Amino acid sequence: MTDDPYALATEAATALKSAVGVDSFDVALVMGSGWVPAADAIGETIAEIPVTDLPGFLPPAVAGHAGKVRAVRTESGTIALIFLGRTHLYEGRGVDPVVHGVRTAIKAGAGTIVLTNAAGGLRPETQKVGEAVLISDHINLSGASPITGPTFVDLTDVYTPRLRDLAREVDPSLAEGVYVAFRGPTYETPAEVRMCRILGGDMVGMSTVLEAIAAREGGAEVLGISLVTNPGAGLVGEPLNHAEVLEVGRATAARMGVLLSKVVGKL
C-alpha cells in the first residue's frame, strides 16, 4: 500500500470502472463468509474480475471468500458492485487492505455500502441459526481504526437508520442488534462471550466495523447485515468451526440473495 490509501483507492476505482465499462456505481456490497452464493440473486452480471487485477487488492486468505469483484445490473437499473470476499485484520496485512475495497467503491461513485458478515449469536434464547439480523450499532474491540490523526468522524448513526427501515420494508421480521468485533482469528472464549452480552452485544465476529468506519469517513451510508451461523462459545456447549459457518451460508444463500436483491432494488 502507498502512504496515501485514498490515492491508491482512486487509482483502483479508475481501473475498475475501465475494466467494467461503466462511469460510476450506485451501491457496493461486501459479501462475508458464507454470503458469496447469495450474490447470484442480486442482478445480471456485467463483468467479474479478480480483485488482484486492481491496484492495492490482495488475494483472499479465508475459505468462503472468492477474491473477485462483480458488477451487476439489478432489475431496477441500479449498478451494483459486489466484493465476493474481504480482507480481515487477523490476516496480519494491516488496516488499509481491510478497508481498501470500501474506499475504492466510494471513489468509484458508490454512495451506499452494504456490509454482510457471518456472526456468532449472543442471544440464542431469541436468535435462530440462519437468521439475518440488521446491525444497529457496533462495539469495536479489534483495537484498530482505519482513521489516523485528528480526523473526528461522528459514528452516532454509523449504520444508517433509513437503510434499516428500507430493509424492514422488504422483511418486517428482521431484528436489529449490536455487532461486537474482535480481531480474531481465534473464536471468542465463553468468558468473552459473557462479557459481550453484558456490554449489550447481540452478534460477535471478526470483520465489518473497520469497513463501516471507513465508509462513514468517506461520506457513504452504511447498511450492515449479520447472518447468525452459530451460537457464541459456551452458550450451547458445542465447539465452533469455520466449516459450520460456510454450511449455514450455503443453506441460506437463496433466501439471503432474495433479501439483498430486494433491498438493493429499493436504494
Side-chain angles (χ1 to χ4, degrees):
M1 305 294 283
T2 69
D3 291 335
D4 182 359
Y6 294 96
L8 191 55
T10 300
E11 183 182 346
T14 299
L16 176 62
K17 291 185 290 184
S18 175
V20 174
V22 300
D23 295 327
S24 183
F25 294 92
D26 301 305
V27 57
L29 301 92
V30 179
M31 309 304 281
S33 296
W35 281 83
V36 170
D40 294 338
I42 295 173
E44 175 190 1
T45 298
I46 302 172
E48 184 174 290
I49 59 176
V51 291
T52 50
D53 286 357
L54 303 173
F57 284 90
L58 301 173
V62 182
H65 292 259
K68 296 181 180 180
V69 59
R70 179 186 300 176
V72 306
R73 181 179 288 105
T74 70
E75 289 185 1
S76 64
T78 298
I79 304 298
L81 182 64
I82 306 175
F83 291 98
L84 302 176
R86 55 160 53 96
T87 296
H88 299 79
L89 188 62
Y90 60 71
E91 295 172 31
R93 300 169 171 183
V95 174
D96 284 343
V98 173
V99 299
H100 183 55
V102 165
R103 287 173 169 165
T104 296
I106 291 172
K107 291 297 184 181
T112 301
I113 306 295
V114 180
L115 303 172
T116 72
N117 62 53
L122 297 175
R123 310 288 172 181
E125 62 273 17
T126 57
Q127 293 170 337
K128 296 179 180 179
V129 169
E131 177 180 58
V133 181
L134 300 174
I135 302 175
S136 59
D137 205 344
H138 72 232
I139 299 172
N140 183 5
L141 298 182
S142 72
S145 172
I147 304 173
T148 57
T151 303
F152 305 107
V153 178
D154 179 25
L155 298 182
T156 302
D157 288 324
V158 57
Y159 302 94
T160 309
R162 180 184 71 85
L163 298 181
R164 300 204 303 275
D165 290 342
L166 285 179
R168 279 191 295 269
E169 288 179 13
V170 171
D171 184 352
S173 71
L174 285 171
E176 290 190 356
V178 175
Y179 179 83
V180 184
F182 283 81
R183 181 185 182 95
T186 58
Y187 289 109
E188 302 72 36
T189 67
E192 288 170 337
V193 166
R194 292 194 299 272
M195 175 189 72
C196 290
R197 283 168 58 95
I198 292 169
L199 291 176
D202 299 291
M203 300 87 69
V204 64
M206 308 172 193
S207 67
T208 303
V209 299
L210 301 185
E211 293 159 306
I213 293 169
R216 294 300 297 132
E217 182 193 26
E221 293 188 311
V222 179
L223 175 66
I225 309 176
S226 290
L227 175 63
V228 177
T229 54
N230 55 272
L235 296 179
V236 295
E238 297 292 330
L240 305 179
N241 64 82
H242 192 61
E244 179 185 22
V245 170
L246 299 181
E247 177 55 36
V248 173
R250 284 190 290 267
T252 60
R255 181 161 50 87
M256 295 302 103
V258 170
L259 171 64
L260 290 177
S261 176
K262 291 182 178 179
V263 168
V264 170
K266 284 182 169 287
L267 298 176

